[in-house]
Amino acid sequence: MTGMICNVTGLVALVVDDEANVRLFARAALETIGFDVVEAETGEEALELLNELRPDVILLDVMMPGISGYDVCLHLRARHEFENLPIMMMTGLEDMESVNQAYEAGATDFLVKPVNWELMKHRVRYTIRSSIAFRSLAAAQRTAHMGSWQATGANGTLTCSDETYRVLGLPRTSSPSLDGLLTNVRAADRGQVEAAHRDALEQGAAYEIEYAITGSEGGDRFIHERGETVGSGQGRRVVGTVHDITERRRFEKRIAFMAYHDSLTGLPNRRLFKKQLALQLAEAGQTGRRVGILCFDLDGFKRVNDTFGRSIGDMLLQSIADRVEGCLHIKGPPAHEATLVSRSGGDEFAILLRELDTPEDAARVADRVMEDLVRSYRLGHMTLRITPSIGIAVYPDDGDSVETLMKNADLARHHAKRQGRSNYQFFTTDLQAHAEKRMALEGDLELALERGELYLHYQPIFNPFQGRVDTIEALIRWQSEALGRVSPEEMISVAEQSGLVVPIGEWVLRTACEQFKEWMKLSSPPGRVAVNVSAIQLRQPGFAQRVQTILEELDFAPKHLEIELTESVLMEDLDANERILQDLQTIGMTVAIDDFGTGYSSLSYLRRIRPDVLKIDRSFIPDLDDDQESRTIVSAIIAMAHGLGVQVTAEGVETNAQLRFLRRAECDAIQGFLLARPGTAADVRAVLESPTFAAKTNNRWSAA
């Protein structure tokens, strides 16, 4: 029975012939090579079946009652889903006209009756392989958004793959031409495409071009087209491919943007800033005008990140970027002098100023930026305030190259930090000299330990009621062979910036502990030795455990060691530092907060940290002689600390009047020039062993 579709599981062949024996032999042959066979007796029946059936190959008789095989083939080729379906036509006619008519109707192959069925099986296999390869190619082209075409003849008669029409946004036509590919090409690109096609057809020139086409929704898409000539004479043709590279262009544009812009704020990054600065300097070299740069960062930004988290920090940076661009009109009508705002990294920003008449023009911009940035920021449910420190360098006064100007603006920014923050500073040659000196200091400091140029002085801390030495503070000193005596403040600043403070800090700890063990052999030994710790040391992973290891190596009891750190160091990361100090106290060490009262004093953090000792900053002590307000503050600090179970040390005591007041206020320990200046280990030994010194000290206690 013909026209039935059932149990179709593999490759399917549709056999269309009005002769039953032909259909029978065809079925037998096809089934031996794995096909499921469906039969149709007429063209009409075949077309009806093909409304549902999607065969892999059709064997189609040419001469049948009703619709001929030619007409069936033409009808199928007009339907998109069958345009590439393998159709093998069968006929008893052997004239060339019949063969040509079959191929013109769209036949894939041609079989002459009586059919050689063994040969037919091989031709069907080959046709199926070709069809599968063609479909795979078409699928690959769809995936890659790439189409292929070939043009023949002087007019460029075109044969295109399906994807070519889709890529170029063209409707399908049965007989397109090479000129038809230009339909949607953007007017500005049309000339180069026409020239490439013409040269390929007339001269056999290969080409590779990119152009834009206007999409159906009005947006441009980008095409990469390649073409070359193959064959010769009448058989010469141009073959080509078209590739939709719109996504690649977008990706390249995004990559280019990311290469020159900050991903968080969208501002130009340091690389783009330097390129633009180079262009402005080249132009200024011709015009004689000044060019300025402002480099600024945010004072205390690290505390924002540490306290509120990086998400709030990022929101603040975005707000800073918007505010700076707004105040300089970068996004609107541009301010005369403002060309570019960039984020260099972290909390650092830079502003490029062009066509300045005087350096004061840069100062006016800095004033505007300062005024705008100090206003409060509403971020989520919180309100923050932050200030910038700004450095200014101007071409040609402060340098004539990109690197020199940026370096000098950075030096000025660091100077603004040292001047108290929340201000702007111009670069000066003094800053350069200062920077060069610091570089020399850093280089020499690296070798100072090896050369034995570092040494310790020690200052005793006394119990004001018993007149004995309770603690001895170790103080580092540096006598440089090349630079002479370097101040402790300058040395420590360089050590912290260079990271040398970590190995130097360990040397101080070992040296002080070893010396303390010598003092312990005396008849009147001190109770503790105190060493100062920087923020960088404290942030080292496993700091408390490292100190414990050193003490074990030295066979040194932790109860004899006092770790001192300043309030500012403590507050840089209160949560983390709280854990570290607890670890130190658990090991058995004493923890002291130095310079107490210089900006962060509050009951809340003292309740959390619970140090063992508070050292009142020396700035409160000189006025104790005659200033009631200072006396009130110091008395309050002592009372507050005692209420929390914390001992108090007063630093910088230089007069008997100060000593008398501190004793009345029940201060636990006294340190200052009145009793003992910093000195060598031998000097301290003399203090500890001298009966004369002990008697003189006791007299002071009695007088107080």
Side-chain angles (χ1 to χ4, degrees):
M1 179 182 294
T2 64
M4 294 187 65
I5 306 172
C6 58
N7 299 324
V8 176
T9 58
L11 291 172
V12 177
L14 174 61
V15 178
V16 186
D17 199 298
D18 58 331
E19 296 182 38
N21 62 326
V22 172
R23 297 198 303 274
L24 178 63
F25 287 125
R27 173 185 288 275
L30 290 168
E31 287 179 345
T32 63
I33 56 174
F35 277 87
D36 291 323
V37 179
V38 178
E39 300 177 23
E41 190 173 348
T42 65
E44 291 85 352
E45 186 180 355
L47 293 176
E48 182 70 24
L49 284 171
L50 290 170
N51 288 327
E52 299 180 18
L53 183 66
R54 295 295 181 268
D56 297 283
V57 64
I58 296 178
L59 271 62
L60 179 62
D61 188 20
V62 170
M63 304 303 294
M64 294 181 293
I67 302 176
S68 71
Y70 299 131
D71 292 333
V72 171
C73 192
L74 285 170
H75 184 86
L76 293 179
R77 292 305 188 213
R79 291 172 60 178
H80 177 68
E81 64 270 32
F82 296 124
E83 59 187 354
N84 296 312
L85 174 65
I87 300 176
M88 304 180 70
M89 301 197 75
M90 303 180 293
T91 181
L93 305 174
E94 297 186 52
D95 58 287
M96 286 307 300
E97 183 178 348
S98 299
V99 174
N100 289 335
Q101 189 175 356
Y103 285 124
E104 287 176 4
T108 307
D109 200 358
F110 191 92
L111 299 172
V112 178
K113 292 181 178 180
V115 176
N116 182 329
W117 298 110
E118 286 300 317
L119 178 61
M120 181 272 291
K121 290 192 288 188
H122 291 294
R123 291 173 72 169
V124 167
R125 286 196 191 97
Y126 174 79
T127 299
I128 288 295
R129 281 201 303 270
S130 298
S131 175
I132 291 172
F134 184 85
R135 290 199 300 270
S136 298
L137 175 61
Q141 289 186 347
R142 284 194 299 273
T143 302
H145 302 293
M146 177 182 288
S148 59
W149 53 265
Q150 71 172 16
T152 57
N155 295 326
T157 301
L158 203 65
T159 303
C160 298
S161 70
D162 288 347
E163 195 60 20
T164 299
Y165 293 102
R166 281 189 284 268
V167 167
L168 298 178
L170 299 173
R172 286 193 55 81
T173 59
S174 57
S175 56
S177 66
L178 199 53
D179 288 342
L181 297 183
L182 301 173
T183 303
N184 293 329
V185 175
R186 192 170 57 185
D189 296 334
R190 189 180 296 269
Q192 70 154 335
V193 182
E194 288 177 334
H197 290 173
R198 183 175 58 252
D199 291 347
L201 285 170
E202 296 177 359
Q203 303 171 25
Y207 65 89
E208 187 168 352
I209 56 176
E210 291 185 2
Y211 54 87
I213 65 172
T214 302
S216 58
E217 297 180 358
D220 284 346
R221 291 191 294 116
F222 295 92
I223 307 299
H224 175 269
E225 181 175 323
R226 297 181 62 182
E228 61 181 47
T229 303
V230 297
S232 59
Q234 293 296 319
R236 191 172 77 172
R237 63 193 184 280
V238 179
V239 296
T241 59
V242 288
H243 185 197
D244 188 336
I245 58 170
T246 305
E247 287 304 315
R248 191 189 81 187
R249 282 287 190 93
R250 288 174 183 160
F251 181 72
E252 289 171 350
K253 186 177 180 180
R254 177 62 180 162
I255 291 297
F257 182 86
M258 291 171 64
Y260 288 101
H261 290 80
D262 171 51
S263 59
L264 177 64
T265 63
L267 291 178
N269 61 15
R270 186 179 183 86
R271 180 187 297 179
L272 181 54
F273 184 86
K274 291 172 72 172
K275 288 185 67 173
Q276 290 297 317
L277 177 56
L279 293 174
Q280 291 296 328
L281 293 183
E283 184 178 324
Q286 301 294 321
T287 63
R289 301 295 292 271
R290 287 182 168 88
V291 173
I293 57 175
L294 275 61
C295 292
F296 71 90
D297 64 5
L298 308 176
D299 303 327
F301 179 74
K302 183 179 183 302
R303 287 184 60 199
V304 174
N305 265 349
D306 291 344
T307 305
F308 303 110
R310 292 193 177 275
S311 60
I312 294 296
D314 287 349
M315 290 170 62
L316 178 59
L317 291 173
Q318 291 167 334
S319 297
I320 293 287
D322 289 341
R323 196 170 285 187
V324 174
E325 285 196 314
C327 83
L328 298 178
H329 308 296
I330 297 296
K331 291 183 176 177
H336 175 66
E337 69 278 3
T339 300
L340 191 73
V341 177
S342 80
R343 181 185 176 212
S344 306
D347 63 327
E348 295 181 15
F349 295 80
I351 301 170
L352 174 57
L353 307 176
R354 58 181 174 82
E355 298 184 2
L356 301 180
D357 293 322
T358 67
E360 286 69 31
D361 292 337
R364 282 191 287 274
V365 175
D367 280 326
R368 282 159 53 194
V369 172
M370 293 278 299
E371 182 181 350
D372 246 41
L373 294 190
V374 298
R375 292 187 289 109
S376 60
Y377 297 83
R378 184 69 179 171
L379 305 173
H381 299 296
M382 64 187 67
T383 300
L384 299 179
R385 291 179 62 86
I386 201 157
T387 59
S389 292
I390 303 175
I392 304 173
V394 178
Y395 165 90
D397 311 60
D398 303 328
D400 58 4
S401 71
V402 169
E403 294 300 333
T404 301
L405 277 175
M406 294 187 71
K407 178 197 70 173
N408 290 343
D410 259 343
L411 289 174
R413 176 173 60 85
H414 288 298
H415 183 51
K417 291 281 191 190
R418 293 192 296 272
Q419 293 301 108
R421 305 183 175 190
S422 189
N423 69 93
Y424 63 82
Q425 297 290 328
F426 280 90
F427 170 79
T428 66
T429 52
D430 289 343
L431 295 180
Q432 179 64 33
H434 177 77
E436 291 172 356
K437 181 182 178 182
R438 288 183 71 85
M439 289 295 293
L441 281 172
E442 184 177 327
D444 275 10
L445 187 56
E446 284 193 72
L447 302 173
L449 273 174
E450 298 175 17
R451 294 171 176 169
E453 295 177 355
L454 299 182
Y455 60 96
L456 295 183
H457 271 179
Y458 302 91
Q459 186 175 24
I461 300 173
F462 293 86
N463 181 310
F465 304 104
Q466 300 174 0
R468 61 177 173 79
V469 176
D470 271 355
T471 305
I472 298 175
E473 182 176 1
L475 304 166
I476 191 167
R477 299 290 185 262
W478 180 17
Q479 184 67 36
S480 169
E481 181 180 332
L483 304 169
R485 187 167 183 269
V486 181
S487 72
E489 295 78 14
E490 195 169 24
M491 179 198 65
I492 292 169
S493 174
V494 171
E496 288 184 334
Q497 288 190 3
S498 64
L500 292 170
V501 71
V502 175
I504 290 174
E506 288 198 4
W507 175 83
V508 170
L509 176 61
R510 289 179 180 275
T511 304
C513 290
E514 287 171 343
Q515 179 57 56
F516 185 86
K517 290 171 69 176
E518 294 299 314
W519 291 326
M520 288 291 289
K521 299 174 184 177
L522 303 177
S523 58
S524 299
R528 295 188 298 268
V529 64
V531 297
N532 292 276
V533 171
S534 75
I536 294 174
Q537 288 174 274
L538 204 63
R539 287 197 295 267
Q540 294 297 303
F543 170 75
Q545 290 69 33
R546 177 59 182 161
V547 173
Q548 183 179 24
T549 299
I550 292 173
L551 297 185
E552 290 172 353
E553 291 172 0
L554 298 174
D555 192 24
F556 191 93
K559 67 179 181 179
H560 294 308
L561 177 62
E562 179 176 298
I563 298 292
E564 288 191 9
L565 64 156
T566 64
E567 271 193 307
S568 57
V569 168
L570 176 67
M571 297 302 292
E572 282 186 10
D573 189 346
L574 187 58
D575 291 336
N577 291 339
E578 178 183 7
R579 293 189 293 272
I580 295 170
L581 298 192
Q582 287 174 349
D583 289 342
L584 293 171
Q585 290 171 319
T586 300
I587 293 168
M589 291 170 246
T590 297
V591 171
I593 305 300
D594 202 3
D595 300 339
F596 184 80
T598 54
Y600 296 100
S601 309
S602 71
L603 286 171
S604 60
Y605 97 72
L606 287 177
R607 290 177 64 189
R608 289 181 59 183
I609 296 295
R610 286 299 176 91
D612 302 292
V613 178
L614 285 184
K615 299 185 75 173
I616 301 174
D617 186 68
R618 65 182 62 248
S619 63
F620 290 99
I621 304 304
D623 294 334
L624 291 179
D625 291 339
D626 53 17
D627 183 72
Q628 184 58 42
E629 187 174 302
S630 294
R631 293 178 180 180
T632 301
I633 292 173
V634 170
S635 296
I637 291 174
I638 295 172
M640 175 187 68
H642 286 170
L644 294 170
V646 177
Q647 292 188 331
V648 179
T649 297
E651 300 179 281
V653 179
E654 298 184 359
T655 69
N656 284 318
Q658 294 165 4
L659 176 60
R660 283 193 298 272
F661 173 81
L662 291 167
R663 285 193 74 192
R664 288 196 302 271
E666 299 185 347
C667 186
D668 301 286
I670 303 296
Q671 180 179 7
F673 289 177
L674 176 66
L675 303 178
R677 291 175 176 270
T680 65
D683 294 334
V684 172
R685 183 185 183 102
V687 168
L688 295 172
E689 291 184 320
S690 170
T692 304
F693 183 86
K696 184 170 67 173
T697 304
N698 283 328
N699 289 337
R700 280 204 178 92
W701 305 143
S702 300

